[in-house]
Amino acid sequence: HVQLVESGGGSVQAGGSLNLSCDMSSYTYSRICMGWFRQAPGKERERVALMWPFGGKTDYPDSVRGRFTISRGSAKNTIYLQMNSLKPEDTGMYYCAAYTALSRWFEGRPNYAGQGTQVTVS
């Protein structure tokens, strides 16, 4: 069982930055896709960043591409989401998630997800 714990959320003004962290308990981190998704009240869940295993290929939706960067820490069991040029529409609860298959990312069905960290942009 994989446990994910997010941190780093907060309130910032538009144009500001935040760096979210996700600590993963499992040693199998290198074999699965890691990603972030967000959920805002009244809106559908939105995938915001994905990192493939074994080489770190990444993927972003158009809404955040060029502003958000997903990366893996040197210890390999931590995933980061650097968010720059934040906009009010980026407001929401951000979740770290693990996917055992790429198809689950596109289907929005993570195998594991954390409790979330709130990001508020005003």
Side-chain angles (χ1 to χ4, degrees), residues 35-84:
W36 292 86
F37 66 89
R38 65 189 179 190
Q39 179 83 60
K43 294 185 178 180
E44 293 186 357
R45 177 185 295 184
E46 180 183 17
R47 305 184 300 274
V48 296
L50 177 72
M51 173 174 281
W52 269 253
F54 306 125
K57 180 182 177 182
T58 58
D59 186 45
Y60 307 92
D62 290 342
S63 58
V64 307
R65 187 174 292 114
R67 300 188 298 120
F68 289 13
T69 303
I70 186 172
S71 62
R72 195 186 301 275
S74 58
K76 304 298 184 183
N77 62 337
T78 301
I79 300 294
Y80 300 101
L81 182 67
Q82 177 66 43
M83 305 186 295
N84 298 326

Side-chain angles (χ1 to χ4, degrees), residues 3-112:
Q3 288 186 313
L4 306 171
V5 180
E6 304 96 336
S7 62
S11 297
V12 296
Q13 292 187 337
S17 299
L18 284 173
N19 189 24
L20 307 184
S21 299
C22 173
D23 291 322
M24 183 177 4
S25 64
S26 172
Y27 66 90
T28 61
Y29 56 80
S30 62
R31 306 174 190 175
I32 57 178
C33 296
M34 294 299 301
W36 292 86
F37 66 89
R38 65 189 179 190
Q39 179 83 60
K43 294 185 178 180
E44 293 186 357
R45 177 185 295 184
E46 180 183 17
R47 305 184 300 274
V48 296
L50 177 72
M51 173 174 281
W52 269 253
F54 306 125
K57 180 182 177 182
T58 58
D59 186 45
Y60 307 92
D62 290 342
S63 58
V64 307
R65 187 174 292 114
R67 300 188 298 120
F68 289 13
T69 303
I70 186 172
S71 62
R72 195 186 301 275
S74 58
K76 304 298 184 183
N77 62 337
T78 301
I79 300 294
Y80 300 101
L81 182 67
Q82 177 66 43
M83 305 186 295
N84 298 326
S85 301
L86 284 163
K87 305 175 181 180
E89 52 262 44
D90 294 319
T91 294
M93 188 70 78
Y94 283 68
Y95 299 88
C96 176
Y99 305 82
T100 57
L102 189 58
S103 58
R104 296 184 69 98
W105 162 257
F106 291 109
E107 294 166 359
R109 296 189 304 118
N111 294 87
Y112 306 98

